[in-house]
Amino acid sequence: MSTQAQVKIGFEVSFREPQAHYAEVEMSVSGLARNYVDIKMPVWTPGSYLVREFSKSVEDFAASAGGKKLRVEKVRKNAWRIYNGSAKAVRISYRVYAFELSVRTPFIDADHAFLSPTGIFMHPDGMISAPSTVKVIPFKTWSAVSTGLEPVAGQQFTYRAPNFDILYDSPIQVGNQEVFSFTAAGVKHEVAMVGEGNYDKARLQQDMPKVIEQATAIYGENPNKYYLFIVHNVERGGGGLEHLNSTTLEVSRNTYGTQAGYEGFLDLVAHEYHHLWNVKRLRPVALGPFDYDNENYTTNLWVAEGFTSYYENKIMLRAGFLTPEKFVTKLAGAIGTVVNTPGARVQSAAASSYDAWIIGYRPNENSRNNSISYYSKGEVVGMLMDLEIIRATKGAKSLDDVMKTMYWQVKKQGKGYTDAEFKACVEQIAGTSFTAFWNKYVTGTDEIEYAKYFGYAGIDAVDDNKGKTQATTGATAEVGRAFTIASVNRNSAAWDDGLNVNDIVLSVDGRDVADILSNVRLQSPRINLDILAPIAAKKVGDQVNLRILRAGLERQITLTLKASPVVRVKAGINPNANEPQKAVLKKWMGL
């Protein structure tokens, strides 16, 4: 559009009061054709499916032209209308309060600033495709800026974004982060370490490329010339958020000191790096171009996130950080997570994806009973689909072929895939119908036939709890100033007999809870009621009497204990597997 091509947009971000958690933003817009312009801030950030209302943190929004203040009217929760009259250029200023440290929200303090761009920058309405520049002025005690944005030659800490989709997908780290680099898959990678941590830079420079090479091998190309890892080393935390040529990771600062912690970090690297392809480029049709004002619904997050959870295991295996035995054990654990979640028999993978906006990021005390994570269910569906494709093709093809084919198809057609297109590709690669599979595991809530699918690869899988009868209440409690019920499982004794979340348990079978807990060694603040001494010795059908406090009033509740439905999936590679099974195992693991 020629009018938009004439528009020039620039930002300048500074930090007058970082200790109070504020960024100062100056925005210039020139080439305006109308007598007013609406300036809008996103309400959510891609990759995190929740309306977060970033505009709630904006203060002192003002505009001027030629040095004269312009009239500004707020016309919706995230939009300000500037009446510029005949002026073709306006200057806009506003402050943003940023004090939520996560991978998806901006955070500023005296030590550093993390600019999660959807919570900092705004765009003129209808001009998402317009280019812009961003100049960062670090606080006086800071010296470094790290971002995946393209630098403007000759201008320190100034960057160029070809459009707002790129700008909103490019976090900016400002402070005194330690930056080191390495080359992997022919691409320069930088790691910006924020905060102290017990990491070994030389070890990471050796091991992170192994993960990157294996992820790239799946798709046949690495789409970037540069990639940035922003790593926040925090007291407690974990998670990541993918971007087009960068990612933000949050880890506990001492996580690198143990083998499990170090592998966990590499696992997070594998997950977020795989998103380079799956989600950022191989994406559902609903996830780009984005509507930054509203929810963007898709039924395919079980592929976008769930398959990425599955592939982080495959990448770690192929990179040499997981043994085949540990790979199988981790997937058995993933299956256990799904089959032991009551909500898995209520909500499908597709429905979980669609309802991410209202359930996935807003869990409550009953979410476990009425929903399943698209991460967890998608990981298991990915494994089942992979094994089914390998079996159907006698070891010739795998899910890798589906992902690679879909990646190149989406790249060629220039838009995301539909449900039907993804299913069609699976069937094309496998050479057989997947309609029954879809009905069971994607749009349906059937039990996971894990023994059958593991069996394709010569892996023996059983429920280690089968035949064991363990009595259970089906409830957990938080131990704090009071012993408060935290969760109640669907169809459990607690569910049937009316024990509620937020009930405070005062005594069990007449014995004071404080006295009982004095003999319990707590591993975490949340415990299963079943470990309490009066309950642990009981059998299925026995009763337990609880004296509780509900809404300030005492009452008695009697639970009739039921058999525990918990499944413990135990899986191991059968050394006596037949040749077809060995062929499936070899293809599956890709070793």
Side-chain angles (χ1 to χ4, degrees):
M1 184 174 168
S2 58
T3 302
Q4 193 168 122
Q6 298 168 4
V7 172
K8 291 185 177 181
I9 302 169
F11 295 93
E12 183 176 285
V13 185
S14 60
F15 309 93
R16 189 170 68 240
E17 297 180 299
Q19 83 290 346
H21 321 298
Y22 278 93
E24 319 295 327
V25 183
E26 297 281 342
M27 180 181 181
S28 61
V29 183
S30 62
L32 295 174
R34 295 194 301 175
N35 60 1
Y36 75 88
V37 59
D38 289 345
I39 304 296
K40 303 172 78 174
M41 176 171 263
V43 303
W44 70 290
T45 191
S48 184
Y49 306 101
L50 177 67
V51 171
R52 295 182 184 275
E53 313 292 20
F54 292 117
S55 57
K56 69 181 183 292
S57 298
V58 174
E59 300 177 15
D60 299 338
F61 188 98
S64 64
K68 295 183 179 180
K69 188 175 181 179
L70 297 175
R71 183 164 73 92
V72 174
E73 178 186 7
K74 197 165 187 181
V75 291
R76 58 172 288 161
K77 62 182 181 180
N78 66 322
W80 291 258
R81 179 163 293 173
I82 299 169
Y83 294 93
N84 52 291
S86 60
K88 304 301 181 186
V90 298
R91 293 193 65 83
I92 302 154
S93 63
Y94 57 92
R95 309 180 78 204
V96 179
Y97 178 78
F99 196 51
E100 181 184 348
L101 183 58
S102 78
V103 297
R104 62 193 71 85
T105 51
F107 176 87
I108 302 167
D109 68 7
D111 296 326
H112 73 104
F114 173 63
L115 305 182
S116 181
T118 49
I120 295 291
F121 299 108
M122 301 188 188
H123 62 272
D125 188 26
M127 300 183 192
I128 285 291
S129 61
S132 62
T133 59
V134 176
K135 180 179 181 179
V136 179
I137 303 175
F139 188 61
K140 59 186 178 182
T141 58
W142 302 344
S143 61
V145 177
S146 300
T147 181
L149 289 170
E150 179 187 355
V152 175
Q155 298 183 44
Q156 188 180 36
F157 303 144
T158 304
Y159 306 90
R160 178 184 295 107
N163 55 59
F164 277 89
D165 285 322
I166 297 295
L167 177 59
Y168 288 149
D169 203 27
S170 302
I172 303 170
Q173 179 64 46
V174 192
N176 297 307
Q177 58 270 20
E178 179 183 22
V179 180
F180 61 87
S181 63
F182 56 81
T183 298
V187 175
K188 180 182 178 181
H189 293 74
E190 286 191 333
V191 181
M193 283 290 189
V194 183
E196 296 181 10
N198 63 348
Y199 57 88
D200 181 334
K201 181 172 68 174
R203 188 182 183 192
L204 290 173
Q205 286 174 309
Q206 180 181 6
D207 288 343
M208 290 175 71
K210 297 174 184 177
V211 171
I212 290 162
E213 296 282 358
Q214 289 300 327
T216 303
I218 295 167
Y219 295 92
E221 76 160 10
N222 193 302
N224 287 322
K225 296 179 180 179
Y226 168 80
Y227 190 89
L228 172 68
F229 293 94
I230 298 173
V231 184
H232 290 157
N233 296 289
V234 299
E235 182 180 7
R236 286 186 303 273
L241 188 65
E242 69 277 1
H243 300 283
L244 201 64
N245 69 338
S246 64
T247 184
T248 305
L249 311 179
E250 184 178 278
V251 298
S252 298
R253 63 173 61 103
N254 294 320
T255 196
Y256 315 90
T258 65
Q259 187 62 25
Y262 185 69
E263 288 178 3
F265 174 74
L266 292 179
D267 202 65
L268 180 60
V269 168
H271 182 102
E272 298 305 332
Y273 202 83
H274 184 255
H275 276 315
L276 263 190
W277 298 273
N278 192 26
V279 156
K280 297 314 300 182
R281 291 164 177 85
L282 167 56
R283 68 182 190 276
V285 68
L287 297 185
F290 293 114
D291 176 356
Y292 294 101
D293 291 338
N294 302 288
E295 297 91 338
N296 291 228
Y297 292 102
T298 175
T299 55
N300 292 116
L301 294 180
W302 60 274
V303 175
E305 288 291 355
F307 277 24
T308 298
S309 293
Y310 172 58
Y311 266 94
E312 71 190 52
N313 295 309
K314 294 187 76 171
I315 292 167
M316 289 287 284
L317 172 70
R318 294 169 182 178
F321 298 112
L322 288 182
T323 63
E325 292 76 15
K326 192 168 183 179
F327 174 70
V328 170
T329 298
K330 287 192 72 172
L331 290 174
I335 292 168
T337 297
V338 173
V339 300
N340 290 315
T341 301
R345 290 174 286 283
V346 177
Q347 186 186 53
S348 70
S352 174
S353 302
Y354 198 85
D355 286 342
W357 299 91
I358 57 172
I359 298 177
Y361 283 83
R362 287 176 174 161
N364 62 25
E365 70 282 352
N366 197 48
S367 295
R368 177 176 167 78
N369 291 318
N370 68 5
S371 63
I372 184 67
S373 164
Y374 50 80
Y375 284 87
S376 302
K377 184 65 176 291
E379 180 178 7
V380 172
V381 172
M383 186 198 83
L384 303 185
M385 189 179 291
D386 200 1
L387 288 167
E388 185 62 52
I389 293 169
I390 299 169
R391 184 201 65 82
T393 61
K394 295 182 171 60
K397 301 287 184 180
S398 73
L399 187 60
D400 292 10
D401 296 285
V402 174
M403 301 302 283
K404 183 177 181 179
T405 300
M406 286 300 299
Y407 167 71
W408 288 100
Q409 177 180 314
V410 166
K411 184 175 181 178
K412 181 179 179 180
Q413 67 188 20
K415 65 181 182 65
Y417 62 83
T418 64
D419 299 50
E421 286 173 328
F422 194 88
K423 179 173 179 285
C425 183
V426 171
E427 293 176 330
Q428 174 193 344
I429 297 296
T432 187
S433 172
F434 263 72
T435 297
F437 183 98
W438 237 257
N439 291 341
K440 284 183 177 181
Y441 299 126
V442 176
T443 59
T445 58
D446 286 26
E447 294 285 352
I448 306 297
E449 300 173 281
Y450 57 87
K452 167 186 168 181
Y453 287 92
F454 269 139
Y456 292 162
I459 295 168
D460 296 328
V462 297
D463 174 9
D464 204 37
N465 284 343
K466 190 173 184 180
K468 301 175 184 178
T469 305
Q470 176 69 45
T472 181
T473 61
T476 66
E478 290 283 346
V479 182
R481 294 177 64 185
F483 190 74
T484 308
I485 299 301
S487 69
V488 172
N489 283 345
R490 183 183 293 271
N491 298 327
S492 66
W495 175 283
D496 289 349
D497 295 325
L499 188 64
N500 291 177
V501 168
N502 296 328
D503 285 347
I504 296 173
V505 181
L506 304 175
S507 69
V508 180
D509 283 348
R511 189 175 166 189
D512 189 80
V513 163
D515 177 50
I516 297 170
L517 289 176
S518 67
N519 297 311
V520 175
R521 188 173 181 180
L522 297 176
Q523 300 296 323
S524 74
R526 178 171 291 200
I527 67 169
N528 193 315
L529 256 65
D530 303 343
I531 73 168
L532 299 181
I535 300 173
K538 293 180 182 286
K539 297 180 175 62
V540 174
D542 288 350
Q543 292 186 328
V544 57
N545 296 300
L546 303 178
R547 183 167 61 93
I548 67 165
L549 195 65
R550 180 182 295 171
L553 300 176
E554 282 195 24
R555 65 175 67 192
Q556 298 283 338
I557 288 190
T558 299
L559 308 182
T560 302
L561 300 181
K562 301 175 74 170
S564 172
V566 172
V567 173
R568 182 173 180 265
V569 181
K570 186 177 181 180
I573 300 171
N574 184 352
N576 299 315
N578 58 39
E579 291 307 313
Q581 289 174 322
K582 290 179 180 178
V584 171
L585 184 70
K586 182 179 179 181
K587 181 68 174 179
W588 183 39
M589 294 193 171
L591 299 177

